[in-house]
């Protein structure tokens, strides 16, 4: 893959899909810059997982401002001068807001969002990592982030479903939909090479990648 | 915004404790997040006259918005803080207890006094490549190809993981 032809690549997918690891590996391989979420800098996130109704709004607003700040920093740094791999789409924010906020809260969130008007460039490629909910659950448990351990499978299922619906309608960028169930991009060099070849060969607007499919 | 790889090494004054302190110090760097740190590895010193204790080595991957120079200056600061206190009657150049090397800074390639990127000898050093490939198995070294391939060329160097981390 020649990442220089794709200046801005986004890895997306539900919690536990392996976004951050893959984004990091791609960046280290192709010497791209990274744009990574900073969940540990969100003081409301741990509390959100304990009491979702109560802390959804502050957690969501914190993420919104964090992303706006990141965008601003990028713009100042001459946006995407170097190829960049991100582990989130800016649209992720309203997606989670719709999922977790009450109607009144969402209306407020929406007003703030509209007011901030984040000017988001379209990626050159989105890699959407899918996996069945039990696989996501198992990965979340395995990575052992303390505040995530109380996350019920039903919540993961709703997140996964929201992503499915979001990407069903997605048409802002070429989309590679990856079934990551039997793929391990970090530990299996073959899986990683297969994926990078698949990305390099991608020509269409929407393609699928499963294990066993030739690159 | 930029991924950098940092090599940690120590063979004096409780090396594993030195490495553990340095790992913590990295998490306190400004505008920098530690994304991954390898296990500790033991390496026998090569090419030294007289016996020397084994080295403990590790590699960290950080996401930083510092410049390479600024990051390097911060690493020197950590080294300085952990440098063995000098004995006024001892030898003038007391040995360093900690070495921090800036190995990779994304695609950056430069040769300047005091800073070469990527680190000019990293592709020859098992004690750098083994921990690097542990946490970044697909990493490439600008101008040198894949780290995993470089590692195959130096597999005769003995680098063994230590049993446990010192948690402090």
């Amino acid at each position: 893959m020649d990442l220089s032809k794709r200046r801005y690549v986004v890895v997306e997918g539900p919690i536990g899909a392996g976004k951050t690891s893959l984004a990091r590996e791609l960046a280290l391989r192709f010497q791209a810059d990274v744009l990574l979420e900073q969940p540990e800098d969100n003081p409301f996130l741990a509390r959100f997982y304990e009491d979702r109704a109560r802390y959804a709004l502050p957690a969501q607003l914190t993420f919104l401002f964090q992303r706006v700040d990141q965008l601003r920093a990028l713009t100042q740094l001459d946006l995407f001068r170097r190829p960049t791999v991100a582990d989130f789409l800016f649209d992720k924010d309203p997606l989670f807001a719709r999922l977790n906020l009450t109607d009144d809260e969402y209306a407020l969130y929406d007003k703030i969002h509209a007011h901030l008007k984040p000017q988001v460039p379209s990626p050159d490629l989105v890699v959407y990592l899918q996996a069945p909910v039990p696989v996501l659950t198992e990965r979340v448990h395995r990575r052992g982030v303390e505040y995530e351990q109380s996350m019920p499978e039903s919540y993961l299922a709703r997140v996964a479903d929201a992503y499915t619906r979001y990407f069903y309608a997605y048409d802002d960028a070429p989309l590679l939909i990856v079934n990551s169930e039997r793929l391990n991009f970090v530990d299996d060099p073959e899986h990683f090479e297969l994926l990078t070849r698949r990305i390099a060969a991608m020509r269409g607007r929407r393609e699928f990648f499963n294990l066993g499919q030739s690159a | 915004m930029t991924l950098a790889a940092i090599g940690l090494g120590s063979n004096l004054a409780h090396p594993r404790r030195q490495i553990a302190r340095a790992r913590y110090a990295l998490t306190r760097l400004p505008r920098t997040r530690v994304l991954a740190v390898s296990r500790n590895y033991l390496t026998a010193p090569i090419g030294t006259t007289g016996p020397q204790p084994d080295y403990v080595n590790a590699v960290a991957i950080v996401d930083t918005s510092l410049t390479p120079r600024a990051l390097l200056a911060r690493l020197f600061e950590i080294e300085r803080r952990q440098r063995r206190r000098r004995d006024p009657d001892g030898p003038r150049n007391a040995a360093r207890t900690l070495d921090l090397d800036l190995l990779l800074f994304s695609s950056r390639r430069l040769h300047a006094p005091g800073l070469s990127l990527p680190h000019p000898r990293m592709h020859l050093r098992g004690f750098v490549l083994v921990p690097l490939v542990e946490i970044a198995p697909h990493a490439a070294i600008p101008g040198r190809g894949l780290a995993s391939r470089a590692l195959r060329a130096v597999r005769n160097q003995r680098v063994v993981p230590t049993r446990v981390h010192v948690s402090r």
Side-chain angles (χ1 to χ4, degrees), chain B residues 83-94:
Chain B
R83 207 161 280 185
R84 191 166 57 183
R85 220 167 274 226
R86 288 186 184 190
D87 174 356
D89 302 321
R92 280 206 51 84
N93 288 315

Side-chain angles (χ1 to χ4, degrees), chain A residues 18-122:
Chain A
K19 301 180 287 285
T20 309
S21 314
L22 180 58
R24 199 174 80 200
E25 288 297 326
L26 286 171
L28 283 165
R29 172 58 162 277
F30 300 102
Q31 283 127 31
D33 280 356
V34 287
L35 186 57
L36 302 177
E37 277 198 294
Q38 296 161 7
E40 68 278 6
D41 292 348
N42 189 332
F44 298 102
L45 192 58
R47 279 175 274 179
F48 165 72
Y49 283 122
E50 278 163 22
D51 186 346
R52 294 212 301 278
R54 183 164 171 199
Y55 290 107
L57 186 60
Q60 204 58 60
L61 289 176
T62 304
F63 272 130
L64 175 61
F65 281 106
Q66 201 179 75
R67 293 185 216 286
V68 168
D69 282 348
Q70 277 179 310
L71 256 182
R72 202 163 287 158
L74 270 179
T75 317
Q76 279 163 7
L77 282 172
D78 183 9
L79 189 60
F80 307 121
R81 192 170 28 133
R82 262 187 270 277
T84 300
V85 182
D87 69 350
F88 66 95
L89 272 174
F90 286 90
D91 271 359
K92 167 185 200 162
D93 211 59
L95 183 143
F96 273 81
R98 190 59 281 195
L99 202 60
N100 288 311
L101 301 181
T102 64
D103 288 347
D104 289 346
E105 286 172 337
Y106 185 75
L108 173 62
Y109 168 89
D110 200 39
K111 256 184 206 155
I112 297 171
H113 189 273
H115 203 75
L116 291 168
K117 276 199 216 72
Q119 293 292 313
V120 184
S122 287

